[in-house]
């Protein structure tokens, strides 16, 4: 990996982050960091603040207090244009694939270039340059779905759709990927394939990965470090190699 | 676990007293409406033989002016098609301003919603009278009327289709750095497209039916021919016109429902 200035500090640095929804105090001073190329699993019960933490990091939800640095840039207070530039280097995989229905898989993957280019070539594959189309097809090949490039995404299975969403994230050439319960809506087999794929790509391409999950086995198998949230506070942060399944079960009790 | 024994909910719950009063008001209004509408069974029974006589005079239909009727029918359809096309094209940007998801500002949202409501709430016959008075008698007045009517219909439903799109893909595109224009054109528009097509086709069907009536006030089309036939007691000719209109509406509905099915099944 090239030694750029952004590599001198963590890919993600969160300090004293607070978020309230009315009376509900969801994040209570969360601080964490994710190193370049590190894979971090974020655990916690429903409502513990995992999704809010991920969304607040890219200001999809506006945090109330605290500091967030993504790839060396403080995102709080950034103008919309500069925020778009930061977001363009960070992939975000959602629990539901969130692809655009009635468009082909290839067009959906090409959407990954929208942070860098606002032109119609990033909206639909028919307007995209030959290079962009080829890059998108290569990203689909990375997730073994090059054969569905021309198919409408609403006709794909849940697992295939999530892999197209991963291809869309790869199209961003991301330095970091957030994944918010990426396998929660998939059957165990498809879920395993998606986690395997995400983890392999993150390792091969040295992409930092922060994923939330309720699957303790996935946390143990696909992360370098596990962070645990309880009621908006970090109560666990350990290297995965030092943890066992019973430790993680104990965390939930 | 609660120690209280579980009890079944009642089969019928008594309505809230306020709701009961509202129901009574609605029933009372319905009764007064039936009286106010001048419904008379005596008049109906007196008029029934007259209806039979008129229907009897309508058959067999008079085919002698079929060529002229065909020409007017084509003009009626062209008016409906052109009016719908103009209306749909204008509705699209208006709807983008009239949707909470895409409006650039709340003032623009309310102003555009107000304009669309104005177009919708004024009946098409009133618009036709307005355009006949301003641009003159003929199909152009009818086309403008149908365009305005289409904007009132499509503007609202296009805006609602945009509002009803799933927020997930929009969030995903926002997360990867897409601009507002990018989100609009690459997500909102394709996701709303089936609804746009559906609404536009319904609008065309509606315009074909309306275009028949517009002729009665001089706004072009076959309506004026129907009025003249009825006024001159040429019921056989009138029935031919009515059958032609029926055939036109039926053909348009069949074609549009085939297109709709094809799009929704894609």
């Amino acid at each position: 990996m090239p030694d750029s200035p952004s590599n001198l500090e963590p890919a993600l640095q969160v300090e004293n982050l607070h978020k309230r929804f009315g009376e509900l105090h969801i994040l209570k001073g969360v601080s964490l960091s994710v190193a370049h190329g590190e894979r971090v699993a974020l655990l916690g019960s429903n409502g513990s603040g995992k999704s809010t933490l991920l969304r607040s990091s890219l200001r999809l939800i506006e945090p109330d207090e605290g500091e967030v640095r993504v790839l060396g840039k403080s995102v709080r207070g950034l103008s919309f244009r500069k925020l778009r530039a930061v977001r363009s280097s960070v992939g975000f995989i959602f629990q539901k694939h969130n692809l655009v229905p009635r468009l082909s898989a290839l067009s959906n993957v090409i959407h990954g270039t929208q942070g860098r280019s606002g032109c119609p070539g990033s909206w639909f594959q028919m307007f995209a340059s030959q290079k962009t189309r080829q890059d998108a097809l290569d990203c689909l090949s990375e997730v073994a779905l090059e054969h569905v490039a021309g198919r409408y995404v609403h006709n794909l299975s849940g697992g295939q759709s999530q892999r197209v969403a991963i291809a869309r994230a790869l199209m961003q050439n991301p330095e970091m990927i957030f994944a918010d319960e990426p396998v929660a809506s998939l059957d165990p087999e498809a879920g395993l394939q998606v986690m395997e794929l995400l983890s392999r790509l993150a390792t091969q391409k040295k992409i930092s990965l922060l994923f939330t999950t309720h699957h303790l086995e996935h946390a143990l198998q696909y992360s370098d470090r596990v962070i645990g949230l309880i009621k908006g506070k970090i109560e666990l942060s350990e290297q995965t190699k030092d943890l066992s399944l019973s430790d993680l079960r104990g965390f939930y009790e | 676990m609660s120690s209280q024994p579980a009890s079944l909910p009642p089969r019928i719950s008594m309505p809230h007293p306020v709701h009961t009063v509202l129901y009574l008001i609605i029933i009372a209004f319905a009764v007064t409406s039936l009286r106010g509408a001048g419904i008379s069974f005596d008049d109906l029974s007196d008029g029934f033989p007259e209806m039979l006589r008129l229907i009897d005079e309508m058959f067999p239909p008079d085919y002698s002016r079929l060529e002229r009727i065909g020409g007017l029918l084509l003009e009626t359809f062209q008016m409906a098609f052109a009016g719908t096309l103009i209306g749909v094209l204008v509705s699209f940007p208006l709807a983008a301003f009239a949707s909470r998801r895409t409006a650039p500002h709340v003032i623009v949202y309310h102003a555009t919603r107000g304009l669309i409501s104005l177009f919708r709430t004024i009946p098409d016959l009133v618009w036709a009278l307005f355009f006949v008075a301003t641009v003159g008698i003929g199909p152009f007045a009818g086309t403008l009327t149908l365009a305005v009517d289409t904007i009132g219909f499509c503007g609202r439903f296009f805006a609602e289709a945009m509002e009803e799109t799933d927020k997930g893909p929009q969030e995903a595109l926002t997360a990867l750095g897409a601009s507002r224009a990018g989100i609009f054109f690459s997500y909102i528009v394709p996701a709303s497209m089936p609804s746009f097509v559906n609404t536009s086709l319904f609008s065309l069907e509606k315009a074909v039916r309306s275009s028949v009536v517009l002729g009665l006030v001089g706004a072009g089309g076959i309506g004026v021919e129907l009025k003249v036939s009825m006024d001159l007691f040429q019921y056989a000719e009138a029935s031919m016109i009515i059958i032609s209109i029926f055939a036109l509406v039926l053909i348009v509905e069949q074609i549009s429902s085939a297109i709709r099915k094809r799009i929704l099944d894609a």
Side-chain angles (χ1 to χ4, degrees):
Chain A
M1 207 171 169
D3 195 25
S4 65
S6 66
N7 285 356
L8 300 176
E9 56 181 306
L12 174 70
Q13 179 94 48
V14 177
E15 280 170 22
N16 194 32
L17 199 68
H18 286 265
K19 179 64 195 174
R20 294 173 188 83
F21 292 105
E23 296 292 300
L24 227 54
H25 198 165
I26 299 293
L27 297 178
K28 298 170 183 167
V30 171
S31 298
L32 63 88
S33 68
V34 177
H36 282 273
E38 189 182 24
R39 299 168 307 158
V40 176
L42 187 58
L43 300 182
S45 312
N46 290 333
S48 61
K50 304 185 299 296
S51 298
T52 305
L53 174 59
L54 261 57
R55 282 170 165 79
S56 298
S57 300
L58 280 183
R59 281 179 53 198
L60 295 174
I61 292 173
E62 212 55 62
D64 295 326
E65 288 172 50
E67 171 72 6
V68 180
R69 296 181 71 80
V70 178
L71 306 173
K73 291 196 177 67
S74 171
V75 297
R76 292 205 67 198
L78 276 185
S79 67
F80 180 63
R81 200 166 60 84
K82 288 180 178 166
L83 182 61
R84 279 184 58 205
V86 172
R87 286 171 175 170
S88 71
S89 301
V90 181
F92 204 123
I93 314 290
F94 294 82
Q95 181 178 332
K96 192 174 163 248
H97 49 76
N98 286 347
L99 299 172
V100 177
R102 300 192 169 270
L103 286 188
S104 66
L106 197 68
S107 282
N108 269 280
V109 176
I110 285 171
H111 287 171
T113 63
Q114 285 202 29
R116 299 195 297 273
S117 155
C119 65
S122 63
W123 300 344
F124 307 109
Q125 63 99 8
M126 72 171 101
F127 299 138
S129 67
Q130 192 56 28
K131 182 183 179 308
T132 305
R133 295 174 83 245
Q134 187 58 51
D135 288 348
L137 189 65
D138 292 345
C139 289
L140 278 172
S141 301
E142 297 255 30
V143 298
L145 282 179
E146 65 276 21
H147 59 286
V148 304
R151 276 175 60 186
Y152 283 142
V153 291
H154 59 263
N155 292 331
L156 301 180
S157 70
Q160 286 177 323
S161 297
Q162 198 60 304
R163 280 152 62 197
V164 173
I166 294 171
R168 177 174 64 184
L170 291 179
M171 193 67 183
Q172 296 175 246
N173 287 323
E175 290 182 52
M176 173 152 204
I177 290 179
F178 292 110
D180 188 11
E181 295 188 38
V183 303
S185 58
L186 304 179
D187 64 63
E189 180 63 28
L192 207 62
Q193 283 176 4
V194 165
M195 274 316 300
E196 189 75 44
L197 177 70
L198 256 181
S199 174
R200 177 173 59 77
L201 291 169
T203 307
Q204 274 176 3
K205 295 175 182 289
K206 295 191 170 58
I207 299 170
S208 309
L209 176 65
L210 176 59
F211 68 97
T212 68
T213 184
H214 288 299
H215 295 263
L216 304 183
E217 299 83 357
H218 290 176
L220 286 175
Q221 197 173 345
Y222 301 116
S223 73
D224 304 311
R225 191 153 56 95
V226 176
I227 292 176
L229 268 177
I230 296 178
K231 292 181 179 170
K233 285 185 176 173
I234 290 184
E235 302 288 353
L236 170 76
S237 180
E238 294 283 347
Q239 293 297 312
T240 310
K241 59 180 168 51
D242 299 330
L243 290 166
S244 66
L245 198 58
S246 59
D247 292 333
L248 295 184
R249 284 198 184 118
F251 171 73
Y252 272 89
E253 283 163 4
Chain B
M1 290 277 281
S2 168
S3 57
Q4 293 276 329
S7 60
L8 280 167
R11 285 182 193 276
I12 300 168
S13 338
M14 283 304 289
H16 191 274
V18 176
H19 292 168
T20 310
V21 172
L22 277 174
Y23 295 145
L24 289 174
I25 290 172
I26 290 167
I27 291 167
F29 189 70
V31 171
T32 53
S33 296
L34 288 171
R35 281 188 185 170
I39 293 172
S40 158
F41 289 103
D42 290 341
D43 288 352
L44 192 65
S45 62
D46 290 348
F48 192 70
E50 196 61 20
M51 287 182 206
L52 291 177
R53 186 189 61 77
L54 200 144
I55 290 169
D56 184 51
E57 284 187 32
M58 280 183 159
F59 288 93
D62 179 4
Y63 296 92
S64 63
R65 299 185 67 213
L66 200 57
E67 198 175 329
R68 171 155 174 78
I69 291 170
L72 284 169
L73 211 58
L74 179 66
E75 181 187 284
T76 307
F77 180 69
Q78 285 172 329
M79 236 168 68
F81 193 80
T84 307
L85 186 67
I86 295 166
V88 165
L89 291 176
V90 176
S91 294
F92 184 70
L94 277 182
F97 291 136
S99 159
R100 282 184 199 278
R101 297 274 291 279
T102 52
H105 194 277
V106 70
I107 294 173
V108 177
Y109 166 79
H110 285 296
T112 322
R113 280 263 162 177
L115 184 69
I116 292 170
S117 294
L118 178 78
F119 286 170
R120 193 176 56 253
T121 47
I122 295 177
D124 51 3
L125 272 181
V126 178
W127 283 115
L129 289 170
F130 172 76
F131 286 121
V132 165
T134 50
V135 302
I137 288 174
F140 183 47
T143 306
L144 287 176
T145 302
L146 294 169
V148 168
D149 201 42
T150 301
I151 295 168
F153 182 73
C154 287
R156 179 187 167 183
F157 286 105
F158 284 6
E160 283 177 5
M162 290 182 197
E163 279 178 6
E164 283 163 11
T165 49
D166 183 8
K167 286 185 179 164
Q170 182 166 351
E171 188 181 31
L173 291 174
T174 305
L176 57 79
S179 63
R180 286 172 70 101
I183 291 169
F184 180 74
F185 286 109
S186 69
Y187 169 52
I188 304 277
V189 172
S192 312
M193 196 51 81
S195 184
F196 289 170
V197 174
N198 221 357
T199 307
S200 302
L201 289 170
F202 274 128
S203 200
L204 178 64
E205 290 174 24
K206 189 170 164 291
V208 169
R209 284 192 295 269
S210 299
S211 60
V212 174
V213 186
L214 296 182
L216 300 179
V217 293
I222 202 166
V224 68
E225 198 72 8
L226 180 62
K227 185 177 185 308
V228 169
S229 298
M230 293 295 275
D231 287 349
L232 298 178
F233 309 110
Q234 303 288 327
Y235 296 127
E237 192 178 296
S239 72
M240 188 63 238
I241 295 171
I242 292 167
I243 289 168
S244 309
I245 293 167
F246 174 71
L248 175 69
V249 171
L250 202 68
I251 291 167
V252 170
E253 284 184 358
Q254 289 299 314
I255 292 173
S256 81
S257 80
I259 295 171
R260 248 195 310 274
K261 188 172 184 310
R262 195 180 160 87
I263 287 169
L264 293 177
D265 288 349

